[in-house]
Amino acid sequence: MNWNFETEHFHIRLPVSDTDGEALYELLRHDSAVAHIPRLPMSVSDQPEDELRRIAMRFESREAAYWLIERKSDNRVIARIGIQHINWMMLNTQLQWELSDDCDLVALQEVLPVITEYLMKDLHIQRLEMRLCQNVQRPDGNTHEGYLTELGFEYEGTLPAQLEFSGQDVDLAVYSLVNEETAH
Amino acid sequence: MKFTPELEIPGGCIKPLHYDDLDGLFELYQHPEIPGQRPLADKEQLNRMIDYSVQMAATQRGMMWAIETDGQIKGMVSGFDWQASSLRITMRVDGLPALSQSERGNALKAAMDFLTDKYHIRNFAYQWIEGQSEEIKSVLEELGFKKAARFRRAWRTGNTDFADVEQYHWLSAQSKPVARRLGDDDQLGQNIDSSPSGEVK
């Protein structure tokens, strides 16, 4: 089963532990990439090595999968898009993305359908959801939930006090995409 | 070591699962309320579930009680997906047709009160699955739960069939516990039989 894909402008590939540490650190050391999760940005250059090892193990157990989105024109990693908490019995999973400032809606519109098609057609996932903080602005003035809506996700509600971050209880909004081919 | 207490409710109690109640629990599992769940075929599997119920409570993964009123096991109330550090848990009640809605609410409230007082849990979730009785939602709302979201096709009921799930939440107004140094008290294992000095009753 091939988990690596290609679009006109991007490689969508699983990370390589030995070589992707620097690119991952460059992506995840910015608060703007992780504020919607929410999570602290990376601050120590050893962190990507641990993260890459962890996600390799999670992928091997098919608990999660993360793809790096590499722009063909300059080989720069502009985003990481992953699925986690894969429930193979219920056939659903949670989507998570970390976007550099270079990754906009146009890039997501090229990349994400390839991933969702793979999840729904090849892996038979019926439901894909993202849980996130709302109103985190993107450089283009849009928000993550704005991107999700443009990509066909629907708002389902907001779960209160899901975690504590920076001393505050954080509510997480839920957006989902369901497999329309089997929904009716 | 005892982790799950027996708690009084009007007309009876909620109590830890016990091997003596195997027949009552098996009867309960012949009438699953969860859409898509089949009646349990092998009673022996309940022995393992009772073992798990103790282990879950000891490790703060979950807690399970049998609901007994009028001398009969009429249901179970459980907490699962316990996020101890986030002070969150998801609750569930499974009942026989004989379990009234007021008994369902009383059992749920007793379990939640205990978890709030003993473990400082502040955020209780409850998932109602499409196909379950609408009355369950009324019980939740009477207890103060509020609907937070409706997840589309989040519960699989068959090979190709899925049901929506409505998630309700109830948040405690109690302030969060203040973290102390490890060893400042003996409640780390949460053994309900232990005293503040560490002695076991």
Side-chain angles (χ1 to χ4, degrees):
Chain A
M1 204 173 229
N2 181 17
W3 289 70
N4 296 315
F5 319 106
E6 196 174 334
T7 65
E8 184 182 353
H9 301 102
F10 301 100
H11 293 291
I12 305 167
R13 61 176 181 79
L14 298 175
V16 180
S17 296
D18 296 341
T19 57
D20 280 326
E22 202 174 317
L24 193 63
Y25 184 62
E26 177 54 31
L27 175 67
L28 300 183
R29 72 187 181 87
H30 299 285
D31 187 53
S32 59
V34 292
H36 63 292
I37 293 176
R39 197 178 65 220
L40 289 172
M42 284 187 177
S43 56
V44 180
S45 59
D46 288 338
Q47 282 175 284
E49 191 182 330
D50 294 338
E51 172 72 0
L52 286 165
R53 190 184 312 117
R54 195 160 40 238
I55 61 177
M57 290 166 62
R58 294 179 72 192
F59 178 72
E60 280 171 13
S61 62
R62 295 297 186 270
E63 171 197 322
Y66 286 88
W67 292 273
L68 298 183
I69 312 304
E70 184 179 297
R71 191 163 53 197
K72 289 179 177 175
S73 61
D74 57 4
N75 296 326
R76 184 155 177 258
V77 171
I78 65 159
R80 181 172 74 158
I81 299 178
I83 52 170
Q84 58 180 354
H85 303 302
I86 307 171
N87 188 328
W88 294 107
M89 198 168 76
M90 292 292 162
L91 297 176
N92 58 43
T93 185
Q94 287 184 7
L95 179 74
Q96 189 177 76
W97 65 33
E98 293 121 335
L99 312 177
S100 73
D101 288 353
D102 283 355
C103 185
D104 58 11
L105 180 60
V106 174
L108 287 171
Q109 283 172 328
E110 181 174 332
V111 164
L112 198 68
V114 176
I115 294 175
T116 56
E117 185 174 312
Y118 177 69
L119 295 175
M120 292 185 174
K121 287 204 169 153
D122 291 63
L123 302 185
H124 308 294
I125 294 293
Q126 298 297 309
R127 170 189 164 82
L128 183 62
E129 69 171 40
M130 186 185 283
R131 299 183 177 199
L132 75 164
C133 291
Q134 288 184 295
N135 301 317
V136 175
Q137 294 286 313
R138 298 289 301 151
D140 58 8
N142 209 332
T143 58
H144 291 270
E145 60 270 25
Y147 286 173
L148 287 167
T149 305
E150 293 284 345
L151 290 161
F153 283 69
E154 282 186 27
Y155 174 69
E156 294 186 324
T158 298
L159 307 179
Q162 292 300 288
L163 54 99
E164 193 178 85
F165 188 76
S166 297
Q168 301 291 321
D169 285 331
V170 177
D171 299 343
L172 294 178
V174 183
Y175 287 76
S176 79
L177 190 69
V178 297
N179 189 343
E180 292 297 342
E181 282 188 17
T182 59
H184 303 293
Chain B
M1 300 279 274
K2 188 180 174 189
F3 301 97
T4 308
E6 182 172 317
L7 303 168
E8 273 187 37
I9 60 172
C13 66
I14 61 173
K15 62 181 194 178
L17 305 189
H18 195 272
Y19 303 104
D20 293 345
D21 295 319
L22 218 54
D23 288 340
L25 293 171
F26 186 63
E27 178 61 18
L28 174 65
Y29 274 79
Q30 299 310 300
H31 304 272
E33 287 189 328
I34 301 282
Q37 190 174 325
R38 293 181 185 147
L40 186 67
D42 182 5
K43 195 190 285 187
E44 284 304 305
Q45 290 179 348
L46 290 173
N47 279 310
R48 203 164 53 174
M49 191 186 75
I50 293 170
D51 292 342
Y52 283 150
S53 76
V54 177
Q55 292 167 14
M56 281 168 61
T59 54
Q60 294 189 33
R61 298 298 177 104
M63 201 164 278
M64 302 166 89
W65 287 268
I67 305 170
E68 185 178 83
T69 55
D70 309 321
Q72 182 195 351
I73 302 285
K74 291 187 185 169
M76 277 174 54
V77 55
S78 322
F80 62 98
D81 192 20
W82 188 343
Q83 308 289 322
S85 58
S86 299
L87 307 176
R88 282 198 286 131
I89 198 166
T90 304
M91 303 301 292
R92 166 175 164 180
V93 177
D94 298 280
L96 285 170
L99 183 76
S100 70
Q101 298 308 327
S102 64
E103 288 171 330
R104 183 184 293 270
N106 291 336
L108 187 54
K109 185 166 188 326
M112 288 169 56
D113 286 348
F114 170 74
L115 291 165
T116 303
D117 291 343
K118 181 72 178 175
Y119 294 97
H120 312 291
I121 292 180
R122 304 177 73 249
N123 190 348
F124 292 86
Y126 195 107
Q127 293 191 327
W128 176 87
I129 301 166
E130 187 181 16
Q132 288 189 301
S133 164
E134 294 282 330
E135 289 182 342
I136 295 173
K137 294 199 266 188
S138 305
V139 171
L140 294 173
E141 282 161 0
E142 278 171 23
L143 289 174
F145 278 86
K146 290 190 170 58
K147 187 167 90 174
R150 184 177 178 104
F151 304 138
R152 297 174 300 156
R153 294 168 63 75
W155 187 264
R156 191 176 180 186
T157 56
N159 279 342
T160 55
D161 298 322
F162 295 83
D164 289 0
V165 171
E166 289 186 0
Q167 184 152 320
Y168 289 75
H169 279 269
W170 182 85
L171 300 184
S172 163
Q174 279 189 15
S175 31
K176 292 180 186 176
V178 178
R180 288 176 287 184
R181 289 182 310 174
L182 291 179
D184 275 359
D185 63 36
D186 78 319
Q187 301 298 318
L188 301 174
Q190 303 290 356
N191 177 8
I192 59 173
D193 283 339
S194 67
S195 69
S197 64
E199 294 170 4
V200 176
K201 292 173 193 169

